[in-house]
Each structure stands twice: as structure tokens, then as C-alpha cells.
Amino acid sequence: VSKPAFEKKRLSIGPVSVGEGVSFGSLPEGYERAVALGVPGMALRLGSGIFASGYSVSLEEDDGADVYAVARYNGQRTVETSKVSEYPRPAQPLELYEFEGCPFCKKVREAVNVLDINVVYYPCPSNGPTYREKVKAEGGKSQFPYIVDPNNENKALYESDDIIEYLYETYGPGKDGIPMALRLGALTTLTAGLSLAPRLGAGSRYRESKKPEGMQPLKLWAYEASPFC
């Protein structure tokens, strides 16, 4: 039986035990490139999409339980919390039609991450034969992002800023709670575009593929700011 590509290890730096991490010596080929391409974009976007709305971190007594903590020190461990559990939660996942290399789509993906909303992503790269055509048929134009909320009479929206405002009003703290990184208009779009530039349009163009009949959606746990996601 071959070993998994990753082994969880506790990284110790002096008296501080840092999380459940990955030994960088065991990272597979190509990860250095992923980090090099992803970190500048994360900095440009001021880390938007890393933390859930109302994120906070505190310390509590470490009872030795095998639970995740960013750090442990001197008999204490970090505890991370957010306010998303206080917001309305969609009963069904929202449908988001978008593509990876689009700065307007990136803004919406960041908002989805911050609000911790379950979403089904439908990839709509240039010349995509399936979901791009579906958006045109249902919404009347081939413009992205495009979102449909089955929890609200299939309400459909184009325009990234309108979508973000809707998400915050419906599943967040209200539009006044939209973080600065998502409310700067053209500057938000510019930095989102620049953050994607090192990827040279990856995910923007369709490649011929085969979708198995009866295929169910894949489940991906990820967050927008990670260079690995």
C-alpha cells in the first residue's frame, strides 16, 4: 500500500506547536510554482476570501484533545470562530455560473467564501458548449458571473456588485457589512484582475472533455485565496 501524498504533522517552533500542517519537504512537484503564482494575488486582494465574516481568534485551556488548532502554547490553544452561524443559511445550494479567469467572477467567489455559502459552481469558459449556452438561454445573454437562488423563487442576477449586495442582504449581515476589499468598485475589479494575471488566463478557455452520463456534482472544500485551491 503506497503512502498518501501528504502526511499530517505538528510543526514545532521552539515552545510553540503550530497547527496540523504539511511537511514542506514532502510537497509534490509543482507546489512551489503554485505558491509563487498565488501569493502575490492574495496580497493584492488583501487576503479577501481567507476568513469567514466576523472571524475572530481567542485562547482557551488546552485539554489535550485531538482537535485542530492553529497554534498551541504554554498549555493553551487557539480557538477560531465567526459570525456566519448567526446569518440566514440557504436551504439549497445557490447556482453560480462563472469561470476561473474572470475578475468579476473572482469577486463573487470571494463573497461566497466570506459568507460560507454552499454553492454549485457551473464552469462557463470561453466556447464552453454546456453551461455558457444554458445561461444565454435562461438569462438572455452570455455574461458572467450569473447566479440563481432556488431558495428565492429562482431569483437570477447578473453583475458582480449586484450579486455581492444580494448575498450580503440575504445571507449575511446586510450590505453595510460588505468588506472594504469587495466594495471599492473599479479598484476591486482591477486588483481582482491583476491577482489573476500570473495564471495567464488559466480556466478561461474550454478544452474538450467528456461528462459521464448521470454524473453527480463533485464536492470541493476550498477557499478562494489559497494558491492550492
Side-chain angles (χ1 to χ4, degrees):
V1 179
S2 60
K3 291 185 177 180
F6 297 94
E7 295 182 4
K8 288 187 176 180
K9 297 180 180 179
R10 181 158 293 155
L11 306 180
S12 295
I13 305 173
V16 181
S17 178
V18 184
E20 291 292 331
V22 176
S23 169
F24 281 88
S26 66
L27 289 176
E29 183 179 355
Y31 266 63
E32 294 87 349
R33 181 174 181 272
V35 172
L37 293 175
V39 170
M42 181 172 63
L44 270 172
R45 294 295 302 131
L46 303 177
S48 179
I50 293 180
F51 300 111
S53 179
Y55 173 88
S56 65
V57 61
S58 59
L59 291 173
E60 68 173 21
E61 183 178 351
D62 189 355
D63 59 6
D66 187 19
V67 296
Y68 173 82
V70 173
R72 289 176 165 85
Y73 176 70
N74 197 28
Q76 294 189 307
R77 68 181 177 218
T78 55
V79 177
E80 299 170 278
T81 59
S82 74
K83 293 184 177 179
V84 294
S85 62
E86 302 173 11
Y87 308 151
R89 301 286 82 190
Q92 301 179 65
L94 279 66
E95 301 173 7
L96 179 59
Y97 298 80
E98 52 89 47
F99 60 95
E100 184 64 25
C102 167
F104 303 101
C105 301
K106 178 174 175 59
K107 291 161 52 178
V108 174
R109 293 196 303 267
E110 289 177 1
V112 165
N113 280 208
V114 173
L115 295 176
D116 196 25
I117 300 172
N118 283 340
V119 166
V120 178
Y121 289 92
Y122 292 90
C124 300
S126 177
N127 296 322
T130 308
Y131 303 120
R132 180 174 280 259
E133 292 303 313
K134 180 181 178 182
V135 169
K136 187 175 181 180
E138 291 186 2
K141 52 185 176 180
S142 187
Q143 178 180 309
F144 304 94
Y146 176 74
I147 200 166
V148 178
D149 187 355
N151 306 283
N152 188 9
E153 299 180 343
N154 287 322
K155 183 177 180 65
L157 290 167
Y158 287 104
E159 302 296 342
S160 57
D161 289 338
D162 292 344
I163 293 173
I164 291 170
E165 183 174 318
Y166 172 78
L167 293 177
Y168 270 81
E169 285 284 0
T170 310
Y171 301 113
K175 65 179 181 182
D176 290 340
I178 298 174
M180 187 64 68
L182 290 172
R183 63 189 311 167
L184 295 177
L187 183 58
T188 295
T189 304
L190 176 63
T191 55
L194 290 173
S195 73
L196 294 168
R199 299 288 300 151
L200 301 177
S204 299
R205 292 173 292 277
Y206 173 72
R207 290 185 178 181
E208 187 174 353
S209 60
K210 181 179 180 181
K211 180 181 177 181
E213 185 176 350
M215 178 181 176
Q216 297 298 307
L218 303 175
K219 294 181 179 180
L220 174 66
W221 281 264
Y223 63 98
E224 180 63 23
S226 169
F228 307 112
C229 301

